[in-house]
Amino acid sequence: MPNEPRPMTTTTTTPTPTHGHGPATRWTENSLVEAFRFAAICPVFALSFQLSLFFGKEALRLDRRTRLTPGFEWARFMSKTVMRSRLKLAPGSSTICRDRRTVYLSNHRAWSDFFLDMYATEGKAFTMSRMLVAYAFPLFMVPAMYCGAVFGFKRDSGDKEKLNASLDAHFETFGDYNGIVIYPEGTRNVREHSLPLKRGMLRYAHSRKLAVQVMMTARKEKVFSSHLVCANRNVALPIHFGEVIRAEDYPDFEDFYNEIRARWDDGWCAVNGVSEAEAEKLPDY
């Protein structure tokens, strides 16, 4: 009989046990730890405004002339007491605008944006937040809106003039706040590149002849993020303040928008080009 072809054989290699020290296992362990931290911080965040009244250094001071805003007390409580975040001035950063009503443009990365950005503005700027957040965190949102630290709005209300008038009234009612933090990308963005900037609030700033300053911070999503389900303390965060853009210097809105876009791109590159090791060596903000 002719010789039949011999069947092909394959050699299999039994993977060496990692005993819990392999890359995949480490990733799982880290994820579980961060998820546990996130779950632990969530109730603190929900009650953070009330807790800041007890643990804040200045919140209960009776002399209003020297007392800081409740918004700053809350932001400092979350940023420093709870999360121990460290803001680091990125190379080429300007100084924060303090001498006039200002719209601060910030990158929206995570839940931590709200307290980190308010802390960065020294509590002199309130933030805009969708009313939907009030349903998720009523214990936080109700007192924050009551004292003016947060301006709640409905995203799809459609009436821009009514929204603008409400913002004007908010500034007049809560005189402790001389600025507003907005997120011009319009949504949370953790990509490596920026999204196009929405024009609505920029038109508001232009029509009211307000100052605009880009305030960019990297790695905020590492501090407290529902998207990544993580929470980390003691994170070094590069922050960059752009040059102040004065609306009265730009009669044409498109020129105003293009200057903002250029400053935005400069800030994006300034903070995202800093490594974690380099951030540790930057001066404190």
Side-chain angles (χ1 to χ4, degrees), residues 9-16:
T9 59
T10 57
T11 303
T12 58
T13 303
T14 303
T16 303

Side-chain angles (χ1 to χ4, degrees), residues 45-117:
F45 179 69
L47 293 169
S48 57
F49 212 91
Q50 292 86 341
L51 291 172
S52 68
L53 297 177
F54 294 98
F55 294 98
K57 296 180 179 179
E58 310 288 343
L60 297 179
R61 181 178 291 186
L62 297 179
D63 188 353
R64 289 182 58 85
R65 294 171 299 178
T66 57
R67 194 188 75 179
L68 300 174
T69 64
F72 181 71
E73 285 301 325
W74 165 73
R76 180 164 59 180
F77 171 73
M78 283 300 303
S79 299
K80 306 302 290 185
T81 305
V82 178
M83 304 310 300
R84 295 185 180 178
S85 302
R86 295 172 294 127
L87 293 175
K88 299 284 192 173
L89 280 174
S93 176
S94 183
T95 57
I96 188 171
C97 181
R98 298 183 177 92
D99 59 356
R100 58 178 294 177
R101 188 170 292 181
T102 305
V103 174
Y104 301 98
L105 306 181
S106 184
N107 52 328
H108 186 16
R109 308 286 289 186
W111 282 355
S112 57
D113 296 352
F114 301 113
F115 53 82
L116 290 170
D117 292 337

Side-chain angles (χ1 to χ4, degrees), residues 153-270:
F153 72 101
K154 295 181 179 179
R155 189 171 190 174
D156 300 319
S157 60
D159 193 339
K160 300 298 183 183
E161 290 305 317
K162 184 178 179 180
L163 175 62
N164 292 347
S166 297
L167 283 169
D168 293 338
H170 193 92
F171 273 117
E172 296 303 320
T173 302
F174 302 100
D176 290 340
Y177 298 99
N178 199 37
I180 176 175
V181 177
I182 68 170
Y183 301 97
E185 292 173 286
T187 187
R188 178 185 56 214
N189 175 28
V190 294
R191 300 176 180 87
E192 295 182 358
H193 60 84
S194 172
L195 299 177
L197 305 185
K198 304 289 185 181
R199 294 171 178 250
M201 286 304 300
L202 303 183
R203 291 189 183 278
Y204 170 79
H206 188 256
S207 67
R208 269 55 174 182
K209 299 296 184 289
L210 304 179
V212 172
Q213 185 173 38
V214 174
M215 181 179 68
M216 195 75 66
T217 310
R219 292 193 279 279
K220 291 186 288 185
E221 69 277 8
K222 292 184 177 294
V223 177
F224 184 49
S225 171
S226 62
H227 179 64
L228 300 179
V229 194
C230 72
N232 292 283
R233 307 180 76 194
N234 202 37
V235 179
L237 306 166
I239 185 170
H240 182 276
F241 295 95
E243 294 294 331
V244 177
I245 304 168
R246 295 169 173 81
E248 62 268 22
D249 295 338
Y250 300 87
D252 182 71
F253 174 77
E254 289 303 318
D255 293 337
F256 180 64
Y257 175 86
N258 290 334
E259 181 64 20
I260 290 173
R261 180 76 231 197
R263 298 294 184 187
W264 178 271
D265 292 341
D266 290 343
W268 186 279
C269 293

